Amino acid sequence: MEKDVTFFEKVFEVVKLIPKGRVTSYGAIAGYLGTKGSSRMVGWAMNSSHHSTANIPAHRVVNRNGLLTGKHHFGSPEIMKQLLESEGITVENDQIVSFDKYFWNPATELND
DNA sequence: TTGCTGACCGACG
DNA sequence: CCGTCGGCCAGCA
């Protein structure tokens, strides 16, 4: 039976499951949750992640183009890039290099 | 309570 | 190719 968990909670769970050195997209998470149309809410959940005490690796979540769209929401646009590079991910021009190589699809990784 | 906005994505002209 | 619009759910005035 499903809990009264909201879209936010689901997003947090998936984001926290993202392995180090990997990245995913808002649409991928939304699609995995079955709400592809609510890709916007995924980003909104990330915004709430700062308010949440849980450690949410929001820097591992980027848009479909691998662009660091939400970098500005980390307090400083450099934080997101530094965090990604700290995990071995190359970021150039606010965009992840070989994004498809670092891309982590929950629907594929979490699903057998 | 109603309505707008938002770290996106995809479709249409 | 590029500009515009609709849709999804939740938070805030």
Side-chain angles (χ1 to χ4, degrees):
Chain A
M1 58 281 243
E2 292 67 41
K3 299 173 296 185
D4 290 6
V5 99
T6 53
F7 190 81
F8 269 49
E9 301 288 334
K10 296 178 184 176
V11 173
F12 290 135
E13 290 297 301
V14 178
V15 175
K16 286 189 293 186
L17 289 172
I18 301 174
K20 181 180 178 182
R22 295 286 181 172
V23 288
T24 188
S25 61
Y26 305 97
I29 298 172
Y32 170 69
L33 297 176
T35 50
K36 182 185 179 189
S38 14
S39 47
R40 306 171 65 177
M41 303 286 69
V42 180
W44 197 247
M46 299 291 94
N47 188 13
S48 186
S49 67
H50 274 285
H51 173 74
S52 182
T53 55
N55 186 9
I56 310 295
H59 61 275
R60 295 181 187 155
V61 186
V62 294
N63 69 341
R64 194 55 170 162
N65 302 309
L67 191 68
L68 283 62
T69 49
K71 65 171 186 172
H72 237 285
H73 288 259
F74 284 82
S76 288
E78 299 180 20
I79 298 176
M80 190 171 188
K81 179 181 178 179
Q82 302 233 343
L83 286 169
L84 289 169
E85 291 185 327
S86 182
E87 297 187 354
I89 299 173
T90 308
V91 179
E92 186 176 292
N93 193 16
D94 300 334
Q95 185 174 320
I96 297 174
V97 180
S98 305
F99 174 62
D100 61 313
K101 185 169 64 176
Y102 297 111
F103 184 67
W104 179 80
N105 191 334
T108 302
E109 301 294 324
L110 298 180
N111 193 1
D112 195 71

